[in-house]
C-alpha cells in the first residue's frame, strides 16, 4: 500500500548493510554476518566460563567416582583379608614368612587358595573400577545440573537501558573507556579477519526482530534520523 507521498513500504526498508543490494529480495549477507557475530560474541562471553564450569564438573565427578571406588574396594579388601585369615594354616604360614614347619602338601594347598583369592580380589577390583567409570555420564549430568545460568529480568534497568542507549536510543556505541582502548587495538586485526565489531551490530536488528523497521513517512523522518555511522 503506497504512502501519501506515493512511496511504497518496501522502498523504505534499508538496503543490505553488507553488499548494498535492495532490501527485496532479501540477500543472505546480513544473516550470515549476524551468525558470525553471534558466534564470536558467544565465544568472548562464554568460552572462559564454559571452561571453568567444565573443570569444576570434571573435578567433582572424578572425586565422587574415586570416593565411591575407594569405598567399594575397601569393603572388598576387608572381605579378602577375612577370608585369608579363615584359611587353615594361614596364620602359621604368615608367621613363618611362607616357610612354616608343616607338611608341604598343606603349604601347596594353602598357596593355591591364596593365589585364587588374590585373583578373585583382582577381578573384583577391576569390576568395581569398571562400574565406577561407567557411571561418569550420570555423575557428569548431576554436577552439570547444579550449574545455574540465569537470564537477567527483561525489566532490569541494565537490560531496558544499556549504557550505549543512554541518549534516548540514539545509539552512539558502547563508550566504556576501559573497553575502548582494547577495542581500538583489536580493530585492525578484526578488520583483516572480516568480523563485525560489536559496536556495529545495530543494523542486524532486523534479522533479530524479523521484518525491516516500520518505514517512516517523510513528515516524521526528522524525528527518527538514522543514527550516523550505525550501519556498516
Ligand atoms: Zn547483501
Amino acid at each position: 500500500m503506497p504512502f501519501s507521498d506515493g512511496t511504497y513500504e518496501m522502498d523504505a526498508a534499508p538496503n543490505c548493510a553488507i553488499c548494498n543490494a535492495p532490501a527485496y529480495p532479501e540477500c543472505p549477507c546480513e544473516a550470515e554476518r549476524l551468525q558470525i557475530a553471534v558466534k564470536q560474541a558467544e565465544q568472548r562471553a562464554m568460552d572462559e566460563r564454559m571452561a571453568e564450569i567444565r573443570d569444576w564438573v570434571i573435578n567433582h565427578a572424578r572425586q565422587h567416582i574415586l570416593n565411591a571406588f575407594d569405598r567399594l574396594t575397601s569393603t572388598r579388601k576387608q572381605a579378602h583379608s577375612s577370608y585369608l585369615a579363615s584359611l587353615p594354616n594361614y596364620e602359621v604360614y604368615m608367621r613363618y614368612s611362607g616357610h612354616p614347619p608343616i607338611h608341604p602338601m598343606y603349604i601347596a594347598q594353602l598357596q593355591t587358595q591364596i593365589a585364587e583369592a588374590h585373583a578373585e580380589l583382582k577381578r573384583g577390583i577391576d569390576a568395581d573400577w569398571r562400574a565406577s567409570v561407567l557411571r561418569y555420564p550420570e555423575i557428569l549430568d548431576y554436577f552439570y545440573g547444579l550449574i545455574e545460568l540465569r537470564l537477567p529480568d527483561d525489566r532490569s534497568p541494565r537490560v531496558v537501558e544499556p549504557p550505549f542507549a543512554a541518549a534516548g536510543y540514539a545509539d552512539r556505541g558502547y563508550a566504556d573507556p576501559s573497553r575502548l582502548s582494547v577495542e581500538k587495538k583489536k580493530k585492525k586485526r578484526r578488520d583483516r579477519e572480516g568480523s563485525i565489531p560489536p559496536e556495529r551490530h545495530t543494523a542486524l536488528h532486523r534479522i533479530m526482530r524479523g521484518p525491516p523497521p516500520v518505514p517512516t513517512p517523510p513528515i516524521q523522518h526528522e524525528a527518527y534520523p538514522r543514527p550516523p555511522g550505525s550501519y556498516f
Side-chain angles (χ1 to χ4, degrees):
M1 189 172 59
F3 291 109
S4 52
D5 67 348
T7 61
Y8 284 82
E9 199 168 314
M10 276 184 183
D11 300 327
N15 286 354
C16 171
I18 312 296
C19 73
N20 201 37
Y24 296 96
E26 204 173 282
C27 66
C29 309
E30 291 183 358
E32 285 167 5
R33 290 298 188 98
L34 176 64
Q35 269 191 334
I36 295 170
V38 168
K39 202 174 164 199
Q40 290 174 341
E42 195 174 87
Q43 283 169 350
R44 288 192 295 272
M46 302 301 289
D47 271 7
E48 218 170 291
R49 274 192 274 179
M50 285 308 293
E52 194 185 329
I53 288 171
R54 190 179 305 125
D55 284 348
W56 184 88
V57 167
I58 289 173
N59 284 337
H60 282 78
R62 182 186 291 137
Q63 200 52 56
H64 175 83
I65 297 279
L66 291 177
N67 289 347
F69 173 69
D70 280 349
R71 274 196 300 277
L72 286 174
T73 52
S74 74
T75 307
R76 196 177 286 281
K77 284 173 184 167
Q78 274 167 25
H80 173 73
S81 300
S82 312
Y83 170 73
L84 291 181
S86 76
L87 292 175
N89 302 316
Y90 183 75
E91 191 269 334
V92 70
Y93 180 81
M94 292 304 285
R95 185 146 41 89
Y96 285 88
S97 304
H99 303 284
I102 56 175
H103 194 284
M105 189 184 74
Y106 293 134
I107 296 179
Q109 189 186 10
L110 180 60
Q111 282 174 338
T112 305
Q113 286 172 314
I114 290 173
E116 278 169 3
H118 280 312
E120 181 60 28
L121 175 66
K122 175 71 167 63
R123 275 194 296 276
I125 288 175
D126 286 347
D128 290 344
W129 181 241
R130 195 180 317 121
S132 302
V133 168
L134 290 180
R135 286 181 66 216
Y136 260 116
E138 165 207 346
I139 309 289
L140 289 170
D141 281 350
Y142 173 78
F143 283 108
Y144 266 114
L146 297 184
I147 307 294
E148 289 180 17
L149 285 178
R150 280 181 298 108
L151 294 177
D153 192 318
D154 276 346
R155 289 162 302 179
S156 146
R158 290 195 298 167
V159 174
V160 177
E161 214 170 301
F164 38 78
Y169 238 100
D171 194 332
R172 296 178 199 288
Y174 186 31
D176 181 347
S178 66
R179 195 182 157 91
L180 214 58
S181 56
V182 182
E183 285 304 322
K184 274 180 183 164
K185 281 177 203 158
K186 282 184 182 171
K187 191 174 181 303
K188 272 198 170 168
R189 182 162 56 91
R190 225 174 17 223
D191 286 348
R192 277 203 307 277
E193 290 167 357
S195 61
I196 308 166
E199 64 268 24
R200 293 185 186 171
H201 286 177
T202 325
L204 299 173
H205 281 188
R206 73 166 140 199
I207 312 166
M208 300 298 276
R209 294 177 176 176
V214 177
T216 52
I219 191 162
Q220 285 183 18
H221 203 263
E222 287 304 304
Y224 300 100
R226 177 182 294 188
S230 297
Y231 299 97
F232 34 77

